[in-house]
mmCIF file of all heavy atoms in Angstrom:
data_model
loop_
_atom_site.group_PDB
_atom_site.id
_atom_site.type_symbol
_atom_site.label_atom_id
_atom_site.label_comp_id
_atom_site.label_asym_id
_atom_site.label_seq_id
_atom_site.Cartn_x
_atom_site.Cartn_y
_atom_site.Cartn_z
ATOM 1 N N ILE A 297 46.630 174.517 60.827
ATOM 2 C CA ILE A 297 47.405 173.242 60.809
ATOM 3 C C ILE A 297 48.795 173.366 61.385
ATOM 4 O O ILE A 297 49.643 174.047 60.718
ATOM 5 C CB ILE A 297 47.453 172.732 59.394
ATOM 6 C CG1 ILE A 297 46.097 172.656 58.734
ATOM 7 C CG2 ILE A 297 48.116 171.382 59.342
ATOM 8 C CD1 ILE A 297 46.094 172.459 57.225
ATOM 9 N N GLY A 298 48.976 173.010 62.610
ATOM 10 C CA GLY A 298 50.388 173.138 63.227
ATOM 11 C C GLY A 298 50.406 174.090 64.335
ATOM 12 O O GLY A 298 49.877 175.151 64.216
ATOM 13 N N ALA A 299 50.934 173.758 65.485
ATOM 14 C CA ALA A 299 51.088 174.612 66.579
ATOM 15 C C ALA A 299 52.595 174.967 66.871
ATOM 16 O O ALA A 299 53.077 175.000 67.955
ATOM 17 C CB ALA A 299 50.499 173.925 67.874
ATOM 18 N N GLY A 300 53.292 175.428 65.771
ATOM 19 C CA GLY A 300 54.560 176.027 65.916
ATOM 20 C C GLY A 300 54.206 177.467 66.355
ATOM 21 O O GLY A 300 53.030 177.880 66.525
ATOM 22 N N VAL A 301 55.289 178.279 66.576
ATOM 23 C CA VAL A 301 55.079 179.695 67.127
ATOM 24 C C VAL A 301 54.170 180.461 66.127
ATOM 25 O O VAL A 301 53.252 181.168 66.572
ATOM 26 C CB VAL A 301 56.447 180.294 67.294
ATOM 27 C CG1 VAL A 301 56.213 181.791 67.694
ATOM 28 C CG2 VAL A 301 57.141 179.625 68.475
ATOM 29 N N GLY A 302 54.412 180.214 64.801
ATOM 30 C CA GLY A 302 53.497 181.023 63.790
ATOM 31 C C GLY A 302 52.041 180.610 63.948
ATOM 32 O O GLY A 302 51.140 181.399 63.875
ATOM 33 N N GLY A 303 51.803 179.276 64.063
ATOM 34 C CA GLY A 303 50.441 178.792 64.178
ATOM 35 C C GLY A 303 49.803 179.249 65.466
ATOM 36 O O GLY A 303 48.623 179.631 65.422
ATOM 37 N N CYS A 320 45.132 172.314 64.987
ATOM 38 C CA CYS A 320 45.409 170.819 64.846
ATOM 39 C C CYS A 320 46.918 170.661 64.838
ATOM 40 O O CYS A 320 47.545 171.005 63.891
ATOM 41 C CB CYS A 320 44.838 170.226 63.657
ATOM 42 S SG CYS A 320 43.038 170.374 63.574
ATOM 43 N N GLU A 321 47.520 169.957 65.763
ATOM 44 C CA GLU A 321 48.919 169.761 65.863
ATOM 45 C C GLU A 321 49.211 168.247 65.901
ATOM 46 O O GLU A 321 48.757 167.548 66.674
ATOM 47 C CB GLU A 321 49.531 170.362 67.165
ATOM 48 C CG GLU A 321 50.857 170.021 67.566
ATOM 49 C CD GLU A 321 51.922 170.176 66.440
ATOM 50 O OE1 GLU A 321 51.990 171.326 65.915
ATOM 51 O OE2 GLU A 321 52.604 169.172 66.100
ATOM 52 N N ALA A 322 50.008 167.809 64.997
ATOM 53 C CA ALA A 322 50.275 166.335 64.828
ATOM 54 C C ALA A 322 50.997 165.813 66.041
ATOM 55 O O ALA A 322 50.721 164.703 66.515
ATOM 56 C CB ALA A 322 51.224 166.207 63.560
ATOM 57 N N GLY A 327 54.681 173.999 69.942
ATOM 58 C CA GLY A 327 55.976 174.732 69.870
ATOM 59 C C GLY A 327 56.804 174.423 68.661
ATOM 60 O O GLY A 327 57.585 175.263 68.198
ATOM 61 N N GLY A 328 56.528 173.265 68.014
ATOM 62 C CA GLY A 328 57.276 172.900 66.860
ATOM 63 C C GLY A 328 58.784 172.936 67.051
ATOM 64 O O GLY A 328 59.316 172.276 68.021
ATOM 65 N N LYS A 329 59.569 173.734 66.249
ATOM 66 C CA LYS A 329 61.038 173.721 66.372
ATOM 67 C C LYS A 329 61.482 174.325 67.712
ATOM 68 O O LYS A 329 62.542 174.181 68.123
ATOM 69 C CB LYS A 329 61.599 174.442 65.214
ATOM 70 C CG LYS A 329 61.269 173.894 63.849
ATOM 71 C CD LYS A 329 61.875 174.585 62.723
ATOM 72 C CE LYS A 329 61.445 173.987 61.459
ATOM 73 N NZ LYS A 329 60.180 174.493 60.847
ATOM 74 N N LEU A 330 60.603 175.095 68.394
ATOM 75 C CA LEU A 330 60.930 175.613 69.681
ATOM 76 C C LEU A 330 60.645 174.548 70.722
ATOM 77 O O LEU A 330 59.663 174.402 71.375
ATOM 78 C CB LEU A 330 59.959 176.838 69.933
ATOM 79 C CG LEU A 330 60.189 177.532 71.170
ATOM 80 C CD1 LEU A 330 61.489 178.097 71.461
ATOM 81 C CD2 LEU A 330 59.127 178.705 71.297
ATOM 82 N N THR A 347 65.889 172.939 72.534
ATOM 83 C CA THR A 347 66.457 172.258 71.376
ATOM 84 C C THR A 347 66.418 173.018 70.041
ATOM 85 O O THR A 347 66.913 172.514 69.035
ATOM 86 C CB THR A 347 65.738 170.907 71.206
ATOM 87 O OG1 THR A 347 64.344 171.172 70.843
ATOM 88 C CG2 THR A 347 65.804 170.048 72.408
ATOM 89 N N GLY A 348 65.727 174.091 70.047
ATOM 90 C CA GLY A 348 65.718 174.956 68.824
ATOM 91 C C GLY A 348 66.272 176.323 69.201
ATOM 92 O O GLY A 348 67.398 176.489 69.613
ATOM 93 N N PRO A 349 65.411 177.398 69.116
ATOM 94 C CA PRO A 349 65.972 178.685 69.197
ATOM 95 C C PRO A 349 66.665 178.924 70.603
ATOM 96 O O PRO A 349 66.224 178.332 71.614
ATOM 97 C CB PRO A 349 64.649 179.614 69.123
ATOM 98 C CG PRO A 349 63.752 178.825 68.374
ATOM 99 C CD PRO A 349 63.996 177.417 68.703
ATOM 100 N N SER A 350 67.756 179.718 70.622
ATOM 101 C CA SER A 350 68.380 180.078 71.799
ATOM 102 C C SER A 350 68.547 181.612 71.967
ATOM 103 O O SER A 350 69.036 182.054 72.998
ATOM 104 C CB SER A 350 69.801 179.418 71.864
ATOM 105 O OG SER A 350 70.526 179.783 70.661
ATOM 106 N N LEU A 351 68.070 182.311 71.025
ATOM 107 C CA LEU A 351 68.199 183.796 70.981
ATOM 108 C C LEU A 351 66.930 184.348 70.549
ATOM 109 O O LEU A 351 66.442 184.055 69.415
ATOM 110 C CB LEU A 351 69.419 184.218 70.157
ATOM 111 C CG LEU A 351 69.736 185.698 70.067
ATOM 112 C CD1 LEU A 351 70.351 186.172 71.445
ATOM 113 C CD2 LEU A 351 70.653 186.052 68.973
ATOM 114 N N THR A 541 46.908 165.398 66.628
ATOM 115 C CA THR A 541 45.863 165.493 65.599
ATOM 116 C C THR A 541 46.518 165.925 64.285
ATOM 117 O O THR A 541 46.821 167.072 64.047
ATOM 118 C CB THR A 541 44.836 166.543 65.994
ATOM 119 O OG1 THR A 541 44.331 166.172 67.278
ATOM 120 C CG2 THR A 541 43.732 166.653 65.006
ATOM 121 N N ARG A 542 46.845 164.919 63.373
ATOM 122 C CA ARG A 542 47.495 165.134 62.217
ATOM 123 C C ARG A 542 46.468 165.450 61.139
ATOM 124 O O ARG A 542 45.527 164.749 60.979
ATOM 125 C CB ARG A 542 48.357 163.923 61.764
ATOM 126 C CG ARG A 542 49.000 164.059 60.425
ATOM 127 C CD ARG A 542 50.023 162.849 60.221
ATOM 128 N NE ARG A 542 51.086 162.839 61.112
ATOM 129 C CZ ARG A 542 52.123 163.674 61.016
ATOM 130 N NH1 ARG A 542 52.202 164.461 60.036
ATOM 131 N NH2 ARG A 542 53.093 163.520 61.922
ATOM 132 N N VAL A 543 46.799 166.466 60.274
ATOM 133 C CA VAL A 543 45.946 166.737 59.205
ATOM 134 C C VAL A 543 46.514 165.978 57.974
ATOM 135 O O VAL A 543 47.649 166.001 57.680
ATOM 136 C CB VAL A 543 45.902 168.277 58.901
ATOM 137 C CG1 VAL A 543 45.291 168.557 57.584
ATOM 138 C CG2 VAL A 543 45.260 169.043 59.968
ATOM 139 N N ASN A 572 50.435 176.176 59.098
ATOM 140 C CA ASN A 572 51.640 176.495 59.719
ATOM 141 C C ASN A 572 52.710 175.384 59.452
ATOM 142 O O ASN A 572 53.829 175.483 59.859
ATOM 143 C CB ASN A 572 51.477 176.614 61.221
ATOM 144 C CG ASN A 572 52.719 176.942 62.077
ATOM 145 O OD1 ASN A 572 52.953 176.476 63.159
ATOM 146 N ND2 ASN A 572 53.498 177.754 61.534
ATOM 147 N N ALA A 573 52.297 174.249 58.846
ATOM 148 C CA ALA A 573 53.201 173.251 58.410
ATOM 149 C C ALA A 573 54.078 173.673 57.304
ATOM 150 O O ALA A 573 53.928 174.732 56.735
ATOM 151 C CB ALA A 573 52.397 172.123 57.933
ATOM 152 N N HIS A 577 55.430 170.455 52.455
ATOM 153 C CA HIS A 577 54.412 169.480 52.934
ATOM 154 C C HIS A 577 53.101 169.872 52.456
ATOM 155 O O HIS A 577 52.298 169.215 52.021
ATOM 156 C CB HIS A 577 54.566 169.322 54.424
ATOM 157 C CG HIS A 577 53.543 168.528 55.069
ATOM 158 N ND1 HIS A 577 53.212 167.223 54.724
ATOM 159 C CD2 HIS A 577 52.709 168.780 56.164
ATOM 160 C CE1 HIS A 577 52.260 166.761 55.501
ATOM 161 N NE2 HIS A 577 51.864 167.739 56.371
ATOM 162 N N LEU A 582 49.292 168.150 51.174
ATOM 163 C CA LEU A 582 47.965 168.493 51.774
ATOM 164 C C LEU A 582 46.976 169.030 50.817
ATOM 165 O O LEU A 582 45.835 168.819 50.977
ATOM 166 C CB LEU A 582 48.171 169.399 52.933
ATOM 167 C CG LEU A 582 48.981 168.954 54.116
ATOM 168 C CD1 LEU A 582 49.005 169.998 55.297
ATOM 169 C CD2 LEU A 582 48.497 167.664 54.621
ATOM 170 N N VAL A 603 72.566 168.962 66.412
ATOM 171 C CA VAL A 603 72.687 169.422 67.777
ATOM 172 C C VAL A 603 73.148 168.401 68.701
ATOM 173 O O VAL A 603 72.876 167.259 68.606
ATOM 174 C CB VAL A 603 71.200 169.898 68.213
ATOM 175 C CG1 VAL A 603 71.109 170.227 69.596
ATOM 176 C CG2 VAL A 603 70.722 171.008 67.365
ATOM 177 N N PHE A 665 73.991 173.486 74.805
ATOM 178 C CA PHE A 665 73.342 173.284 73.438
ATOM 179 C C PHE A 665 74.397 173.620 72.410
ATOM 180 O O PHE A 665 74.795 174.756 72.300
ATOM 181 C CB PHE A 665 72.188 174.193 73.331
ATOM 182 C CG PHE A 665 71.533 174.296 71.989
ATOM 183 C CD1 PHE A 665 70.619 173.363 71.517
ATOM 184 C CD2 PHE A 665 71.942 175.405 71.091
ATOM 185 C CE1 PHE A 665 70.044 173.568 70.222
ATOM 186 C CE2 PHE A 665 71.390 175.510 69.902
ATOM 187 C CZ PHE A 665 70.390 174.581 69.368
ATOM 188 N N LEU A 667 75.335 173.614 68.460
ATOM 189 C CA LEU A 667 74.745 173.570 67.157
ATOM 190 C C LEU A 667 75.792 173.774 66.053
ATOM 191 O O LEU A 667 76.536 174.775 66.139
ATOM 192 C CB LEU A 667 73.682 174.643 67.082
ATOM 193 C CG LEU A 667 72.945 174.832 65.782
ATOM 194 C CD1 LEU A 667 72.102 173.639 65.337
ATOM 195 C CD2 LEU A 667 72.034 176.136 65.828
ATOM 196 N N LEU A 721 64.866 166.256 63.498
ATOM 197 C CA LEU A 721 64.114 167.472 63.329
ATOM 198 C C LEU A 721 62.883 167.264 62.397
ATOM 199 O O LEU A 721 61.861 167.650 62.673
ATOM 200 C CB LEU A 721 64.981 168.585 62.889
ATOM 201 C CG LEU A 721 64.432 169.965 62.867
ATOM 202 C CD1 LEU A 721 64.080 170.432 64.241
ATOM 203 C CD2 LEU A 721 65.295 171.017 62.200
ATOM 204 N N ARG A 724 60.291 165.165 64.184
ATOM 205 C CA ARG A 724 59.538 165.806 65.235
ATOM 206 C C ARG A 724 58.677 166.987 64.873
ATOM 207 O O ARG A 724 57.708 167.221 65.490
ATOM 208 C CB ARG A 724 60.686 166.302 66.282
ATOM 209 C CG ARG A 724 60.168 166.444 67.677
ATOM 210 C CD ARG A 724 61.313 166.768 68.624
ATOM 211 N NE ARG A 724 62.046 167.940 68.226
ATOM 212 C CZ ARG A 724 61.738 169.180 68.285
ATOM 213 N NH1 ARG A 724 60.555 169.527 68.815
ATOM 214 N NH2 ARG A 724 62.475 170.106 67.888
ATOM 215 N N THR A 725 59.072 167.676 63.770
ATOM 216 C CA THR A 725 58.466 168.960 63.506
ATOM 217 C C THR A 725 57.820 168.897 62.068
ATOM 218 O O THR A 725 57.092 169.852 61.720
ATOM 219 C CB THR A 725 59.297 170.124 63.507
ATOM 220 O OG1 THR A 725 60.249 170.098 62.411
ATOM 221 C CG2 THR A 725 60.029 170.236 64.826
ATOM 222 N N ILE A 732 65.654 173.894 58.221
ATOM 223 C CA ILE A 732 65.089 174.715 59.371
ATOM 224 C C ILE A 732 64.217 175.828 58.770
ATOM 225 O O ILE A 732 63.200 176.200 59.357
ATOM 226 C CB ILE A 732 66.228 175.291 60.197
ATOM 227 C CG1 ILE A 732 66.998 174.207 60.818
ATOM 228 C CG2 ILE A 732 65.650 176.220 61.258
ATOM 229 C CD1 ILE A 732 68.143 174.686 61.713
ATOM 230 N N TYR A 733 64.599 176.395 57.653
ATOM 231 C CA TYR A 733 63.946 177.555 57.167
ATOM 232 C C TYR A 733 63.153 177.373 55.920
ATOM 233 O O TYR A 733 62.800 178.263 55.155
ATOM 234 C CB TYR A 733 64.875 178.776 56.962
ATOM 235 C CG TYR A 733 65.611 179.003 58.266
ATOM 236 C CD1 TYR A 733 66.857 178.483 58.511
ATOM 237 C CD2 TYR A 733 64.982 179.874 59.209
ATOM 238 C CE1 TYR A 733 67.497 178.793 59.698
ATOM 239 C CE2 TYR A 733 65.699 180.196 60.413
ATOM 240 C CZ TYR A 733 66.942 179.587 60.633
ATOM 241 O OH TYR A 733 67.532 179.846 61.813
ATOM 242 N N GLY A 760 54.399 181.068 59.040
ATOM 243 C CA GLY A 760 55.561 180.346 59.658
ATOM 244 C C GLY A 760 56.811 180.500 58.800
ATOM 245 O O GLY A 760 56.895 181.150 57.815
ATOM 246 N N GLY A 761 57.843 179.844 59.314
ATOM 247 C CA GLY A 761 59.199 180.016 58.773
ATOM 248 C C GLY A 761 59.429 179.592 57.331
ATOM 249 O O GLY A 761 60.426 180.051 56.775
ATOM 250 N N GLY A 767 62.108 182.605 58.324
ATOM 251 C CA GLY A 767 62.193 181.849 59.639
ATOM 252 C C GLY A 767 62.800 182.757 60.666
ATOM 253 O O GLY A 767 63.166 183.875 60.426
ATOM 254 N N GLY A 768 62.842 182.096 61.876
ATOM 255 C CA GLY A 768 63.273 182.795 63.158
ATOM 256 C C GLY A 768 61.981 183.249 63.835
ATOM 257 O O GLY A 768 61.053 183.554 63.174
ATOM 258 N N LEU A 769 62.057 183.339 65.177
ATOM 259 C CA LEU A 769 60.956 183.552 65.988
ATOM 260 C C LEU A 769 60.257 184.882 65.631
ATOM 261 O O LEU A 769 59.049 184.872 65.388
ATOM 262 C CB LEU A 769 61.330 183.515 67.446
ATOM 263 C CG LEU A 769 61.741 182.267 67.945
ATOM 264 C CD1 LEU A 769 62.328 182.382 69.377
ATOM 265 C CD2 LEU A 769 60.670 181.143 67.974
ATOM 266 N N PRO A 770 61.020 186.046 65.543
ATOM 267 C CA PRO A 770 60.269 187.216 65.250
ATOM 268 C C PRO A 770 59.570 187.252 63.881
ATOM 269 O O PRO A 770 58.454 187.774 63.749
ATOM 270 C CB PRO A 770 61.352 188.317 65.280
ATOM 271 C CG PRO A 770 62.612 187.642 65.339
ATOM 272 C CD PRO A 770 62.422 186.204 65.730
ATOM 273 N N VAL A 772 58.440 184.605 62.137
ATOM 274 C CA VAL A 772 57.159 183.806 62.109
ATOM 275 C C VAL A 772 56.056 184.533 62.862
ATOM 276 O O VAL A 772 54.917 184.448 62.403
ATOM 277 C CB VAL A 772 57.403 182.327 62.569
ATOM 278 C CG1 VAL A 772 58.500 181.603 61.815
ATOM 279 C CG2 VAL A 772 57.686 182.231 64.134
HETATM 280 C C1 FAD B 1656 68.173 174.057 65.970
HETATM 281 C C2 FAD B 1656 67.467 175.375 65.754
HETATM 282 C C3 FAD B 1656 67.892 176.585 66.196
HETATM 283 C C4 FAD B 1656 67.244 177.809 65.943
HETATM 284 N N1 FAD B 1656 67.617 178.931 66.540
HETATM 285 C C5 FAD B 1656 66.907 180.029 66.445
HETATM 286 C C6 FAD B 1656 67.230 181.290 67.186
HETATM 287 O O1 FAD B 1656 68.283 181.188 68.003
HETATM 288 N N2 FAD B 1656 66.415 182.266 67.137
HETATM 289 C C7 FAD B 1656 65.274 182.283 66.369
HETATM 290 O O2 FAD B 1656 64.532 183.273 66.288
HETATM 291 N N3 FAD B 1656 64.973 181.164 65.576
HETATM 292 C C8 FAD B 1656 65.723 180.067 65.597
HETATM 293 N N4 FAD B 1656 65.374 178.945 64.960
HETATM 294 C C9 FAD B 1656 64.309 179.002 64.033
HETATM 295 C C10 FAD B 1656 62.883 178.938 64.732
HETATM 296 O O3 FAD B 1656 62.827 177.890 65.630
HETATM 297 C C11 FAD B 1656 61.764 178.715 63.642
HETATM 298 O O4 FAD B 1656 61.870 179.540 62.577
HETATM 299 C C12 FAD B 1656 60.403 178.786 64.212
HETATM 300 O O5 FAD B 1656 60.246 178.208 65.466
HETATM 301 C C13 FAD B 1656 59.486 178.149 63.238
HETATM 302 O O6 FAD B 1656 58.146 178.312 63.611
HETATM 303 P P1 FAD B 1656 56.939 177.868 62.686
HETATM 304 O O7 FAD B 1656 55.833 178.814 63.006
HETATM 305 O O8 FAD B 1656 57.457 177.972 61.270
HETATM 306 O O9 FAD B 1656 56.516 176.521 63.065
HETATM 307 P P2 FAD B 1656 57.312 175.068 63.206
HETATM 308 O O10 FAD B 1656 58.205 175.149 64.429
HETATM 309 O O11 FAD B 1656 57.920 174.648 61.950
HETATM 310 O O12 FAD B 1656 56.133 174.152 63.617
HETATM 311 C C14 FAD B 1656 55.215 173.521 62.552
HETATM 312 C C15 FAD B 1656 54.227 172.632 63.372
HETATM 313 O O13 FAD B 1656 53.360 172.146 62.434
HETATM 314 C C16 FAD B 1656 53.146 170.848 62.817
HETATM 315 N N5 FAD B 1656 52.632 169.968 61.670
HETATM 316 C C17 FAD B 1656 53.328 169.796 60.496
HETATM 317 N N6 FAD B 1656 52.559 169.128 59.592
HETATM 318 C C18 FAD B 1656 51.292 168.869 60.219
HETATM 319 C C19 FAD B 1656 50.098 168.241 59.866
HETATM 320 N N7 FAD B 1656 49.986 167.556 58.710
HETATM 321 N N8 FAD B 1656 49.103 168.195 60.767
HETATM 322 C C20 FAD B 1656 49.229 168.766 61.956
HETATM 323 N N9 FAD B 1656 50.382 169.448 62.327
HETATM 324 C C21 FAD B 1656 51.342 169.522 61.558
HETATM 325 C C22 FAD B 1656 54.460 170.339 63.314
HETATM 326 O O14 FAD B 1656 54.390 169.106 64.146
HETATM 327 C C23 FAD B 1656 54.959 171.528 64.092
HETATM 328 O O15 FAD B 1656 54.564 171.485 65.445
HETATM 329 C C24 FAD B 1656 66.052 177.722 65.212
HETATM 330 C C25 FAD B 1656 65.490 176.502 64.718
HETATM 331 C C26 FAD B 1656 66.272 175.324 64.979
HETATM 332 C C27 FAD B 1656 65.676 173.976 64.521
#
Side-chain angles (χ1 to χ4, degrees):
I297 307 169
V301 172
C320 299
E321 167 55 53
K329 297 181 183 93
L330 180 58
T347 61
S350 52
L351 182 71
T541 304
R542 177 174 296 282
V543 169
N572 179 221
H577 170 53
L582 297 187
V603 171
F665 164 88
L667 171 66
L721 187 65
R724 204 173 52 75
T725 69
I732 297 178
Y733 302 93
L769 296 172
V772 303

